[in-house]
Amino acid sequence: MHSAGSFSVQQILSLGLIPRAGNATCPRNITTSLCEFSEMWYGVFLWALLSSVFIYVPAGLLGFVMLRHHKYGRFISLGIIGGILGPIIAAVLTSAAIAGVYRAAAKQMVPLEALVLGIGQIFFVVAIAFLRILATL
């Protein structure tokens, strides 16, 4: 069992993903890389899910607190929290597409790539959402 201070950067970035040892699909049998489609998809999706929760849940809670005395406004903020389903479904599909490209190219994915790709997906979802709002003004 690890104490709170003994986690390595690799363990934190992998989010508990343990690549299978002796994986025949990994060239040179590198155990720190994600080689299977499911491992890559899961790694990218977990980072996208985590970053999505950190964006949408505080936004919904802030909206609920600010609009708690409004007659209908408190229900609008619940829509923001409910609006997390769209980005999560998009993250499922785009994570599968990314993992499929990596798998088809026979490329290995390190956990840092999964972090960048997962957070990058949500960054673009939020950027597109802001640009759509600005276009209506």
Side-chain angles (χ1 to χ4, degrees):
M1 182 141 171
H2 294 287
S3 65
S6 68
F7 286 115
S8 69
V9 173
Q10 183 70 21
Q11 289 171 327
I12 293 170
L13 290 179
S14 67
L15 284 178
L17 292 172
I18 308 296
R20 291 177 217 128
N23 193 349
T25 60
C26 278
R28 299 180 309 257
N29 207 6
I30 300 172
T31 59
T32 59
S33 295
L34 306 172
C35 299
E36 291 287 325
F37 172 82
S38 59
E39 294 171 341
M40 290 186 271
W41 173 82
Y42 190 61
V44 174
F45 173 69
L46 277 182
W47 279 110
L49 177 68
L50 190 65
S51 60
S52 178
V53 165
F54 278 129
I55 291 173
Y56 284 94
V57 170
L61 291 175
L62 179 67
F64 187 74
V65 168
M66 299 301 288
L67 296 171
R68 68 183 179 274
H69 297 298
H70 193 274
K71 185 176 181 180
Y72 300 112
R74 68 183 80 151
F75 302 114
I76 294 172
S77 62
L78 294 176
I80 295 172
I81 294 175
I84 197 171
L85 292 177
I88 289 175
I89 291 171
V92 167
L93 297 175
T94 55
S95 298
I98 291 168
V101 169
Y102 268 74
R103 184 71 180 124
K107 188 173 181 325
Q108 300 171 7
M109 181 184 290
V110 294
L112 183 61
E113 287 176 288
L115 174 135
V116 170
L117 293 170
I119 292 177
Q121 289 180 50
I122 299 303
F123 172 76
F124 282 113
V125 166
V126 170
I128 290 170
F130 276 117
L131 292 176
R132 284 187 357 205
I133 291 172
L134 289 175
T136 62
L137 296 178

